[in-house]
Amino acid sequence: MKTQICIIGGGPSGLMLSQLLHLKGIESIVLERCSREYVLGRIRAGVLEQGFAKLMREAQCGERMDQEGEIHEGFYIAHDNKLDRVDLFKHSGGSSVIVYGQTELTRDLYEARDRMNGEVLHNVDDVVLHDLTREAPYVTCKYNDENIQIDCDYIIGADGFHGVSRKSIPADVLREYERVYPFGWLGILSETKPVSPELIYSSHERGFALCSLRSQVLSRYYIQVPLSDSVDDWSDEAFWNELKRRLPVEVAVKLETGSSIEKSIAPLRSYVVEPMSYGKLFLAGDAAHIVPPTGAKGLNSAASDIYYLYHALLDHYQNDDDSGLDNYSAKALARIWKAQRFSWWMTSILHRFPENSSYDQKLQQIEIEYLFSSDKALGSLAENYVGLPYGG
Ligand code: PHB
């Protein structure tokens, strides 16, 4: 087989890039290890920056997002048994975020690829990347019990943290930066009315909690748990009880509970690898960086990589200009590190760290009090939460 761009990974990043390129006449093949049902069964993020939404529209995939997604102009931070609102619209100078689940958005992207006869190969095994520093790279893999080879101009590694793409780069070329947090998030999805029309991030002495939603009939809640906990340790009832204890009374009394339709624990990690490119291979999204979910920056960080890659590839094919590809890593990383900082900061002010001294604890409380006493501090939070500009 032959194509211009071979994209490893059929998650939102890979699909979005493939779709955007197709609309400009650039052909790609997407290789995905799992089935489509499996990819769509993963419950992931739900908060989109406007930059991401714009890309979805440019990819001709924004219709349902604009109809069913909810525009959120603020969220709450609960602390000391009270609720303070962050007015994103006011403090960001008129911006907002869109609440629309990653599952739905991925479904929209698959449908668009189907409509345009895009090649997305599922259940692909034994993916190996070859000749990354040569003129003609290629990918071999097993598909439908057959060994196939895909010759291409460039390879995009959008295959997540555990994917083969990053591992195909010689270790001595890469520098890794990592922070692992001593807790995880236990999350549940339940077909109940969300307790609040806007998200509530709660800092509580028993640990962090988050009230989020996918729609007005589908709620998503999280609580911070020790890494030693497993899902089996938490009945639905135990989850609801613990969540209520971590919310201000005025919120807890309104919480509608029900049986969970999904329950899982995600560890929290900050991770960046540099550089994000090697020869003809370009990494995007979780393949190159991970954030803790507190700032809702995971999917949005992947989207900015796709934006830079898309424009770099357009410049290559349409204008014979390789500067975008040459500078991709530096440009993507400049924004990635800002999202890393913000996610680390949100995580550090809202969670209970077992190793914290009483001094650290007090500073955490003061940080939140300062935030709500200063329009400048709120401005900084808001501009990061709605998403920093992509630039150039
Ligand atoms: C979610 O709805 O899953 C969600 C929302 C906001 C976050 C993290 C997760 O910061």
Side-chain angles (χ1 to χ4, degrees), residues 44-47 185 199 201 210 212-214 220 222 293-296:
R44 295 280 169 87
V47 176
W185 279 17
L199 274 64
Y201 291 83
L210 170 61
S212 182
L213 63 151
R214 291 290 175 276
R220 182 77 168 149
Y222 299 94
T294 326

Side-chain angles (χ1 to χ4, degrees), residues 315-388:
D315 278 344
H316 169 79
Y317 286 108
Q318 295 183 339
N319 307 325
D320 211 10
D321 172 2
D322 280 352
S323 60
L325 288 172
D326 294 343
N327 298 330
Y328 166 69
S329 178
K331 205 161 177 180
L333 282 165
R335 191 173 188 278
I336 288 310
W337 274 112
K338 290 178 188 156
Q340 289 281 329
R341 184 207 69 83
F342 177 66
S343 305
W344 159 81
W345 176 78
M346 281 279 277
T347 303
S348 70
I349 67 163
L350 293 171
H351 291 74
R352 291 292 135 151
F353 288 72
E355 71 274 18
N356 267 6
S357 65
S358 56
Y359 183 86
D360 299 328
Q361 207 51 59
K362 190 75 181 171
L363 275 188
Q364 228 182 17
Q365 184 193 333
I366 301 304
E367 182 92 17
I368 297 176
E369 282 174 20
Y370 165 64
L371 180 65
F372 288 105
S373 72
S374 161
D375 276 0
K376 292 201 171 78
L378 283 167
S380 169
L381 166 56
E383 75 166 349
N384 281 280
Y385 196 87
V386 300
L388 294 171

